[in-house]
Amino acid sequence: MSPSILKKSIISLALLGALAACEGDNTYVTNVIEEVVEPEPETPAPEAPVYNEFKIGLLPDTQGGSDSEGQAHVAMHPMSELLKHQAAAGTNMVIALGDLTDNGSEVEFAEWRSVADSYKEQGIEFLPVMGNHETSYAYTYNWIENMKHFIPEDAVHMPSYEWVNYYVIRENVLIIGLAYYNLPIAFDWIKQVVLENEDKIEHIVVASHDGLIGAKYGQTREQIVDGTKGDNWVFDVQPKIRKFFAERDVIYVQGHEHQYQRSLISSQTALTTLPSSSTPTGGNYRMNTYTQIIAGNASYKGYEFRFGERDLVQMIVSQKNATNSSGSTHYDVNSSFLTFNQERVDYQSYFAEHTAHSNAAEEEFAADWHMSDKFSRTTNRCETVVYPNSILQDTRPVLVLSPEYKTNDCYANDGSYVSLVGGENNTFNRTDTRTRDMGITPGFSRAETLNDLMRLSFQWLFQYHESWSPNLNSSARVIPDYDNDEMIIPETTIDLKEHVTLSWMPADGTASDILIVSGTQNQTGVYQDDYGVTKDIEADTGLTLSQTDGSAKQAMVLPATATQSWDISNAVADAYAVSFTAPETIDASTVQLASYNNDWAAIAPAECVVTQAWDESFLTQTPSRDAACSDYPLVGYDSEFGNRWWVVLTADAELALINK
């Protein structure tokens, strides 16, 4: 018998004796209990696990085409430059996102391994997934023989899909690798894996070659809208996958498209994806979306932007094409990183232009890397989509179509809370798409008629345009061609959105918890056509039918700070304001609002802090300050409200209160 059980038994016997002796007088019972029952020692709360930083590099498609004798090769020059870049950045794991090869030959696998082996020997893990060029052209034997040296030994494999679908856990990150077209097949297994490991993980990365929502491809278009009658393997689970991924805050990474794109995929629709905030009972909550990253290119070919934004469910925040054709003068090689540290994830994506077409020695190049995309966020966050300021004035806002930097309150664990209180998105990127079509085969295709095909496209891909449900990309997103029995998806012009997040981290050498503002400076006013040719957003109008009233999107007047450059390392955000309210436990006279740049420092000296409440007019008319304060951001303290500061910023930032 354990000591605790023995003790309880003695107490029970003592109580029985006490009751018998007192015959109803409970005073004696109380005295006995006080004598017999000793307080159990308190069990200390378990300490939260501490995880090391873990950095994942993304390796897009590396197939290199065929030589004059018909032998296919791996694109060794861009692959070498990319892995060199990722190794220099301290990458722990590289996810190879499929289409490692063109024809799945032993020559190609040997070439791929000749580049990857040296980095594996340096200690970098690889997590390769099958692309369509492996599933179509390679034998299972070849894949296993070559990739078993790279797939981690502790990987847990999906039954009946060993070496094809598998997962590992590194620090607090669950990483799932899936073969081409295997996401719907593996969905039940993915759910099981997540549920079995949810007490060990804070982040989920799902990696495959393709995804539900593509740029040129995408399983929704290929297998549902343009799919086969009665073939429901994607149809039946697609909404469930979107819902589960959104609930679990999945970061989905893929290759296949030979272009770079980052977007939000909604579990409902884009027009019902409401900004997130906080509730008194539930705390902060996220939007009903997950992040999809199409990782770009590391091959000798690039694709144009077909079909455009799947605007029913998708919100594109970054898009870059480089096809080295139709006026485009180069390819891109794209190198992207996901860095996980406790509850935080930082993402950066880089590109380098090149014109290599083969592995010939004379085509070797040294990559000149430029940052083109980034975000920083935590699991405890609020978020919103800020739309571009190109929406016509008479367009209904329908709750979400706002170009303003305004949010509801977002709470930290220490009781601090913040909100965005002003600013407008006047600096945004623009991209064109290419006209495409889809047809039907009665009795074979899911759509029996052209109208049926249009119905499916509006149910699964594109927002049907009405005044109460506007499609910002075109009032005629699809057009029937009854003479040729085809549905036309006209070329159009798309203005990109911003995904702005307010994330919280625990205090670390600060007087308050730490706020991370991210997503405000990813766009610079760049305009590209469907093949990646640069256009001028200030001079060139968009394509016909690209505006909600049936006209073309108009040329825009950019702010003077817009760089119109793909390199965002020196991008300037449109001015926006943050309100930061501290809990009552903090004495405002002892702290100051600070930002982090390698170290914490006050944003402005005390003599430059304006003592008055925030007013939106401050964005254009700065209140009176000493001339010496002009080099500092505009900072204010709302003395009437108490414990509230505000600041006007032109970049992403980390903010907190620090002691004076």
Side-chain angles (χ1 to χ4, degrees):
M1 182 180 293
S2 71
S4 61
I5 295 174
L6 178 61
K7 188 172 185 179
K8 290 176 182 176
S9 299
I10 294 171
I11 292 170
S12 299
L13 290 171
L15 288 173
L16 288 172
L19 288 169
C22 71
E23 296 181 347
D25 182 358
N26 63 9
T27 303
Y28 179 68
V29 177
T30 302
N31 292 336
V32 170
I33 292 174
E34 289 177 350
E35 290 177 9
V36 177
V37 179
E38 298 176 4
E40 292 277 358
E42 291 187 8
T43 303
E47 292 186 6
V50 177
Y51 300 100
N52 295 315
E53 180 179 283
F54 189 74
K55 180 171 288 192
I56 297 174
L58 304 181
L59 173 61
D61 307 42
T62 52
Q63 73 264 51
S66 299
D67 59 25
S68 58
E69 298 179 357
Q71 174 61 55
H73 295 279
V74 166
M76 297 174 69
H77 293 327
M79 180 179 174
S80 297
E81 288 300 296
L82 186 151
L83 290 180
K84 185 190 303 180
H85 183 237
Q86 297 191 348
T91 299
N92 302 105
M93 172 185 284
V94 171
I95 302 179
L97 291 165
D99 281 6
L100 286 61
T101 67
D102 217 354
N103 286 347
S105 66
E106 280 300 318
V107 169
E108 293 168 278
F109 278 122
E111 289 177 341
W112 194 91
R113 291 185 59 185
S114 73
V115 179
D117 278 342
S118 63
Y119 293 98
K120 180 176 181 291
E121 291 167 4
Q122 294 175 32
I124 296 177
E125 279 193 295
F126 283 79
L127 195 151
V129 300
M130 283 186 179
N132 56 299
H133 281 256
E134 281 78 50
T135 59
S136 295
Y137 297 106
Y139 292 105
T140 304
Y141 168 81
N142 302 82
W143 173 261
I144 295 176
E145 280 301 297
N146 286 283
M147 291 300 110
K148 69 183 181 182
H149 306 288
F150 292 93
I151 294 173
E153 289 187 5
D154 64 335
V156 180
H157 298 257
M158 178 179 170
S160 301
Y161 289 84
E162 290 83 0
W163 303 105
V164 176
N165 302 328
Y166 57 94
Y167 78 87
V168 296
I169 295 175
R170 297 292 180 264
E171 302 301 331
N172 59 342
V173 187
L174 170 64
I175 307 149
I176 300 174
L178 306 171
Y180 174 73
Y181 265 15
N182 268 229
L183 172 57
I185 296 168
F187 180 51
D188 285 339
W189 175 73
I190 292 170
K191 290 189 294 182
Q192 177 185 339
V193 167
V194 171
L195 292 173
E196 288 175 353
N197 294 285
E198 59 185 344
D199 60 333
K200 307 173 189 175
I201 59 175
E202 291 183 87
H203 307 279
I204 302 173
V205 176
V206 178
S208 189
H209 185 58
D210 64 330
L212 295 179
I213 308 296
K216 176 181 177 180
Y217 301 112
Q219 294 171 18
T220 302
R221 182 186 66 78
E222 295 171 329
Q223 298 297 322
I224 297 179
V225 179
D226 204 20
T228 303
K229 184 177 181 179
D231 193 359
N232 293 334
W233 65 287
V234 180
F235 186 98
D236 288 342
V237 297
Q238 195 260 31
K240 299 175 185 177
I241 295 172
R242 286 166 36 219
K243 184 175 185 292
F244 184 79
F245 281 8
E247 290 173 346
R248 297 290 177 160
D249 200 19
V250 166
I251 298 176
Y252 190 87
V253 296
Q254 67 164 90
H256 194 42
E257 304 275 359
H258 294 264
Q259 58 196 286
Y260 180 84
Q261 183 188 92
R262 177 165 66 91
S263 65
L264 298 176
I265 309 300
S266 175
S267 65
Q268 298 171 330
T269 69
L271 292 185
T272 57
T273 297
L274 306 181
S276 76
S277 179
S278 182
T279 67
T281 55
N284 297 334
Y285 57 92
R286 300 188 304 269
M287 295 191 304
N288 57 318
T289 61
Y290 68 92
T291 296
Q292 174 179 276
I293 297 171
I294 298 175
N297 203 6
S299 70
Y300 297 141
K301 65 180 179 180
Y303 289 156
E304 76 279 14
F305 192 15
R306 301 182 183 180
F307 299 102
E309 186 175 52
R310 278 54 162 185
D311 40 59
L312 180 66
V313 298
Q314 183 183 34
M315 293 149 282
I316 298 177
V317 297
S318 185
Q319 175 77 37
K320 190 174 190 303
N321 296 73
T323 61
N324 203 23
S325 63
S326 299
S328 170
T329 59
H330 61 274
Y331 300 116
D332 283 345
V333 54
N334 302 94
S335 178
S336 304
F337 303 91
L338 286 161
T339 305
F340 298 92
N341 193 346
Q342 308 301 326
E343 67 270 71
R344 177 170 178 161
V345 55
D346 294 287
Y347 175 74
Q348 298 90 27
S349 185
Y350 297 82
F351 74 96
E353 299 178 356
H354 72 93
T355 56
H357 290 81
S358 74
N359 292 334
E362 61 269 20
E363 299 220 34
E364 188 174 359
F365 64 93
D368 181 16
W369 296 104
H370 301 275
M371 183 187 291
S372 59
D373 194 16
K374 65 174 183 174
F375 67 75
S376 296
R377 70 192 194 205
T378 69
T379 53
N380 180 19
R381 69 178 186 270
C382 308
E383 51 196 338
T384 187
V385 173
V386 181
Y387 282 78
N389 191 27
S390 58
I391 302 172
L392 295 181
Q393 288 296 319
D394 61 353
T395 303
R396 297 187 191 182
V398 294
L399 294 178
V400 299
L401 302 181
S402 173
E404 293 184 302
Y405 296 99
K406 288 186 177 180
T407 67
N408 299 109
D409 294 333
C410 187
Y411 279 80
N413 291 334
D414 71 345
S416 301
Y417 62 94
V418 299
S419 59
L420 301 183
V421 291
E424 196 167 61
N425 181 14
N426 295 315
T427 306
F428 50 87
N429 290 356
R430 175 172 282 183
T431 186
D432 290 342
T433 71
R434 181 184 171 192
T435 296
R436 300 299 294 170
D437 60 64
M438 286 190 278
I440 61 171
T441 305
F444 184 82
S445 58
R446 186 184 307 278
E448 293 283 359
T449 65
L450 193 55
N451 283 347
D452 206 18
L453 184 60
M454 292 179 65
R455 173 187 61 80
L456 286 168
S457 73
F458 285 126
Q459 286 179 329
W460 292 92
L461 296 177
F462 305 122
Q463 177 63 51
Y464 188 77
H465 179 77
E466 296 281 9
S467 60
W468 56 87
S469 60
N471 188 314
L472 299 183
N473 296 325
S474 177
S475 58
R477 200 65 177 87
V478 301
I479 299 174
D481 179 358
Y482 291 110
D483 291 338
N484 295 301
D485 223 16
E486 290 182 335
M487 181 181 74
I488 309 300
I489 301 94
E491 62 182 10
T492 194
T493 299
I494 297 170
D495 290 339
L496 274 56
K497 294 83 182 164
E498 289 183 340
H499 179 210
V500 178
T501 57
L502 304 174
S503 301
W504 287 105
M505 292 181 61
D508 185 5
T510 57
S512 73
D513 282 0
I514 299 166
L515 169 71
I516 304 171
V517 183
S518 179
T520 68
Q521 61 178 129
N522 285 15
Q523 300 178 39
T524 65
V526 171
Y527 182 10
Q528 66 165 13
D529 76 1
D530 48 338
Y531 282 82
V533 178
T534 299
K535 301 174 76 170
D536 186 353
I537 197 172
E538 294 192 294
D540 299 325
T541 59
L543 299 174
T544 303
L545 295 177
S546 59
Q547 191 52 275
T548 50
D549 64 356
S551 65
K553 283 186 169 71
Q554 294 302 298
M556 304 299 299
V557 177
L558 294 173
T561 53
T563 62
Q564 293 185 268
S565 169
W566 286 114
D567 188 336
I568 66 168
S569 59
N570 62 346
V572 180
D574 292 308
Y576 68 97
V578 180
S579 171
F580 192 114
T581 306
E584 294 179 358
T585 53
I586 290 180
D587 182 353
S589 66
T590 65
V591 295
Q592 53 195 336
L593 188 61
S595 62
Y596 186 81
N597 186 12
N598 297 320
D599 198 3
W600 287 104
I603 299 175
E607 61 271 19
C608 293
V609 176
V610 177
T611 308
Q612 61 186 101
W614 165 252
D615 191 290
E616 281 194 69
S617 66
F618 295 165
L619 288 165
T620 54
Q621 298 176 346
T622 303
S624 178
R625 293 194 300 173
D626 189 279
C629 299
S630 60
D631 291 337
Y632 297 100
L634 180 60
V635 180
Y637 175 69
D638 187 345
S639 56
E640 292 186 11
F641 187 90
N643 273 26
R644 173 170 291 175
W645 289 257
W646 51 262
V647 60
V648 176
L649 299 169
T650 55
D652 292 347
E654 295 187 30
L655 306 177
L657 296 174
I658 62 172
N659 293 316
K660 290 182 177 178

